[in-house]
Amino acid sequence: MRALVFASSNPGKIAELQALLGPQWQVKSAKDFPAVAEVDEDRDTFEGNAAKKAHAFAKATGLWALADDSGLVVDALGGRPGVYSARYAPTEPERIAKLLAELAGVPEVQRTARFKCVLCLAFPTGDERFTTGTCEGRIGLTARGTNGFGYDPVFELPHGKTMAELTRDEKSALSHRGHAFRAMLPVINALT
Ligand code: IMP
């Protein structure tokens, strides 16, 4: 069995990657390396933040290290909150309330948006590979559903359900993160 570290403490993300990679890989989490200092996500691109985290873990652990950065890109807001999605407002309910307030009066056809995820795989040698996943949808008029996290309750998919109305497996099959993970699988499985 070979090991890589996913630079995240989110058990949902670790489990999703482990399920995709199967038993020949052991996915370690940031929690397995408490001595590695928390990385400040201060870059102004998804790629920059993902690479910063991945390289910090590859350097500190000597393992292949994967990191993701993701966010919500809203067309009517010129792409905001984008890379600043986690810091758009202090709490999740406040972030959703601010988004709906900023989009008040914007008609449904102009409420198009997408989740974007960039994954970086960093090598202990300093080399790196990137994959990207996106998920297209629209910002609804109200929040619906209780699954998921973040902006899921206001992110409507083409079939009408919000991301928060999907099961975990349904979300993984179509989410930005699921797409970026699956695109990275051949890269990981070719590692020697
Ligand atoms: P992270 O890169 O996974 O930490 O995500 C950054 C921020 O983007 C989160 O705090 C959420 O606000 C938002 N976000 C990323 N992915 C999702 C998702 O799948 N659903 C809802 N919000 C998301």
Side-chain angles (χ1 to χ4, degrees):
M1 195 192 336
R2 295 188 291 169
L4 60 77
V5 54
F6 189 6
S8 167
S9 309
N10 180 328
K13 288 187 190 178
I14 307 290
E16 188 177 354
L17 180 64
Q18 182 70 72
L20 286 169
L21 280 173
Q24 64 272 35
W25 281 96
Q26 182 190 18
V27 180
K28 294 178 176 281
S29 97
K31 286 204 174 116
D32 295 316
F33 301 97
V36 181
E38 184 134 337
V39 177
D40 197 12
E41 298 185 30
D42 58 359
R43 303 289 161 89
D44 57 7
T45 61
F46 295 116
E47 287 79 4
N49 282 329
K52 187 177 177 190
K53 279 188 283 184
H55 283 291
F57 273 81
K59 196 170 170 197
T61 64
L63 295 171
W64 290 295
L66 204 57
D68 72 333
D69 194 35
S70 56
L72 179 66
V73 176
V74 180
D75 292 324
L77 301 180
R80 286 188 301 113
V83 72
Y84 304 107
S85 293
R87 288 162 279 170
Y88 180 54
T91 65
E92 260 178 21
E94 287 171 290
R95 288 194 274 279
I96 286 184
K98 182 175 171 184
L99 180 63
L100 293 178
E102 278 210 85
L103 291 176
V106 176
E108 273 183 50
V109 286
Q110 287 168 25
R111 296 171 78 96
T112 49
R114 66 205 52 76
F115 279 121
K116 182 174 174 186
C117 173
V118 173
L119 266 183
C120 177
L121 176 70
F123 295 55
T125 54
D127 209 357
E128 63 188 18
R129 300 282 185 279
F130 291 94
T131 59
T132 300
T134 55
C135 179
E136 298 286 335
R138 238 169 18 189
I139 305 304
L141 299 172
T142 54
R144 292 193 331 261
T146 53
N147 297 334
F149 71 102
Y151 300 94
D152 283 346
V154 288
F155 190 84
E156 276 181 14
L157 294 151
H159 58 41
K161 279 189 183 175
T162 70
M163 202 78 121
E165 293 175 310
L166 303 184
T167 64
R168 206 167 71 178
D169 286 350
E170 286 170 339
K171 178 173 171 180
S172 174
L174 52 73
S175 79
H176 48 310
R177 195 168 298 102
H179 290 314
F181 275 158
R182 284 187 292 277
M184 190 61 91
L185 291 183
V187 182
I188 293 174
N189 284 320
L191 291 173
T192 52

